[in-house]
Amino acid sequence: MRITTNALLRNYKSNLSASIANLDSTRTKVMTQRKFNSTKEDPSSALRAAVLERKYVRNQDYLSMVKDVHSFQNSQEDAAMQINTISQNLSKKYGLEALNGTNGSLETRQTYAAAWRGAQESLVLCLNASYEGRYVFAGNDGKSAPFKLTTNADGSQTLTYRGIDVNTDDPDELDILNQMSKDSKDYINSTFIDLGFGLNIDNNNIIDASSAFDTSLPGIDVVGYGKDDNGVSKNMVLLAGQIADVLDAEVFDRDKYVKLLNAFDGVGENGLSLNQGRNKVLEKITTLGTQSEFLTTTEERLDANRISLSEQIDSVVNVDMAEAIMDFSWAQYAYNAALKVGNNILTPSFIDFMS
């Protein structure tokens, strides 16, 4: 087989170009620290990397949302704890002391009454607590202060929740309060957040409550609303004011005072515990604590997913730097060797020996 000089040069140029391309490829991998920089280089890995990166970004969104929701939940729990502390002091300290000291002068009872009224204002402030511009006890309407306490011309007090009297006798308004307290089963008064549990919406465009997290907590579901069978208010704020009125009276009505104090504590006529008053507050604190633990577990799970996805992306996209540098060094060596071969590619021919 005859090998011509042109054929030799063509082969050399072709191999030298391949060596240069390989050197450039290995150099790019070292500089970018990626196994590929375009889809055509490795379509399979590029597709897998795109899927993993979408999962990673979505997981980051869920993780950020969980942290925000957890902070909001902590604000709700802190406010509920403050309400519990205030109500406990009122009941165990001022309530019992006032009851045991009611045989004293009117001035003594008025001192206790002032303490109850001061604590009443503190309860309203706690119920109107906010977090980053959103009121924590406003249900699904976090942009407006939910509670407003006003004193009427006759000295009585009215407490409204989102514009509705919590002691209303109007059936329609009471039904609205029931819905706001989430007694309704259509979840129209809830604020659901997707935390990565597969948000599900049925054919009626209603969110499946088990597939999302509800951040709304109506304040009336904490301190109560409406009246019991005896016409006594179930709301702790109004009860605090009514207890103060009894203490302020010229003639102390002990039976009425005990009835109002029991309602404030959530104790029935037979000493049975009722789901109202301080008992209701404690129940909500327990619920918030359970939800907070759930959010902590969810945050830990999402953080573990973040680490797992990062490792998968790293194995698909990023190069092993030690191996990449070794490949680059070998490609550099091969290229230099090819250049040296080029110096000797034109060997002496028969023409060189003709005289």
Side-chain angles (χ1 to χ4, degrees):
M1 178 180 177
R2 181 170 176 268
I3 301 177
T4 65
T5 301
N6 287 336
L8 192 64
L9 289 173
R10 282 197 303 271
N11 287 336
Y12 174 74
K13 289 169 62 179
S14 175
N15 292 331
L16 182 62
S17 296
S19 180
I20 293 174
N22 185 47
L23 177 62
D24 181 67
S25 175
T26 55
R27 181 189 295 112
T28 301
K29 288 181 179 180
V30 171
M31 291 190 298
T32 62
Q33 302 180 20
R34 291 176 59 91
K35 294 180 179 178
F36 56 90
N37 289 282
S38 64
T39 304
K40 66 179 181 180
E41 294 179 26
D42 191 346
S44 177
S45 296
L47 176 60
R48 177 165 172 72
V51 173
L52 289 172
E53 287 170 357
R54 282 197 297 270
K55 288 182 179 180
Y56 181 84
V57 171
R58 186 163 57 246
N59 187 83
Q60 285 294 94
D61 289 340
Y62 288 141
L63 185 59
S64 177
M65 184 62 70
V66 167
K67 291 179 179 179
D68 289 342
V69 171
H70 203 172
S71 297
F72 183 76
Q73 180 94 49
N74 288 337
S75 298
Q76 290 178 327
E77 189 171 2
D78 290 343
M81 289 291 291
Q82 291 176 5
I83 292 173
N84 179 65
T85 300
I86 293 172
S87 60
Q88 187 174 19
N89 287 336
L90 285 173
S91 175
K92 300 302 181 183
K93 186 177 181 181
Y94 300 120
L96 292 179
E97 286 183 3
L99 183 61
N100 294 331
T102 50
N103 293 327
S105 63
L106 174 61
E107 289 77 10
T108 302
R109 285 189 278 112
Q110 287 176 336
T111 301
Y112 287 113
W116 276 91
R117 289 200 172 91
Q120 183 188 35
E121 295 177 359
S122 297
L123 288 174
V124 175
L125 289 176
C126 291
L127 290 169
N128 285 335
S130 63
Y131 172 78
E132 293 186 351
R134 180 183 173 191
Y135 291 94
V136 299
F137 290 134
N140 66 347
D141 180 21
K143 298 300 181 182
S144 303
F147 289 93
K148 182 178 181 181
L149 180 66
T150 57
T151 302
N152 303 317
D154 59 357
S156 63
Q157 292 181 318
T158 300
L159 180 70
T160 59
Y161 176 74
R162 294 169 63 177
I164 300 178
D165 185 358
V166 298
N167 269 3
T168 182
D169 294 320
D170 188 323
D172 293 333
E173 290 185 342
L174 187 59
D175 183 59
I176 295 175
L177 289 177
N178 288 333
Q179 292 184 13
M180 287 181 177
S181 69
K182 294 188 294 187
D183 285 345
S184 173
K185 301 303 180 183
D186 56 9
Y187 302 105
I188 60 175
N189 291 289
S190 300
T191 302
F192 288 109
I193 303 294
D194 182 13
L195 298 182
F197 301 108
L199 184 65
N200 183 37
I201 302 177
D202 63 19
N203 295 330
N204 296 321
N205 291 325
I206 295 178
I207 296 176
D208 181 3
S210 63
S211 66
F213 186 84
D214 186 11
T215 61
S216 62
L217 178 58
I220 53 174
D221 211 27
V222 178
V223 294
Y225 66 99
K227 302 175 183 178
D228 61 18
D229 296 337
N230 297 321
V232 178
S233 176
K234 295 181 180 180
N235 183 267
M236 296 177 64
V237 177
L238 291 179
L239 285 171
Q242 292 170 7
I243 290 173
D245 290 339
V246 174
L247 290 171
D248 261 341
E250 292 288 341
V251 179
F252 179 69
D253 189 337
R254 183 183 180 86
D255 292 339
K256 184 177 181 180
Y257 179 85
V258 172
K259 181 186 295 185
L260 293 174
L261 187 60
N262 286 339
F264 186 85
D265 286 335
V267 178
E269 294 181 357
N270 298 324
L272 299 177
S273 179
L274 302 177
N275 188 27
Q276 66 182 58
R278 289 199 306 116
N279 291 332
K280 186 72 171 180
V281 177
L282 290 173
E283 176 193 332
K284 289 303 174 183
I285 292 175
T286 302
T287 301
L288 288 170
T290 302
Q291 292 177 340
S292 181
E293 183 65 26
F294 168 77
L295 290 173
T296 299
T297 303
T298 301
E299 184 176 341
E300 292 174 351
R301 176 181 61 81
L302 290 172
D303 193 55
N305 287 345
R306 178 187 62 81
I307 296 174
S308 176
L309 289 169
S310 297
E311 292 175 347
Q312 294 180 59
I313 292 173
D314 181 70
S315 65
V316 173
V317 175
N318 299 329
V319 298
D320 182 343
M321 285 304 296
E323 182 180 352
I325 292 173
M326 183 180 66
D327 290 343
F328 171 69
S329 298
W330 176 254
Q332 182 74 53
Y333 175 79
Y335 175 68
N336 291 335
L339 292 178
K340 187 172 183 60
V341 168
N343 292 330
N344 301 317
I345 195 169
L346 294 179
T347 57
S349 66
F350 175 74
I351 302 298
D352 294 325
F353 298 94
M354 293 179 63
S355 58

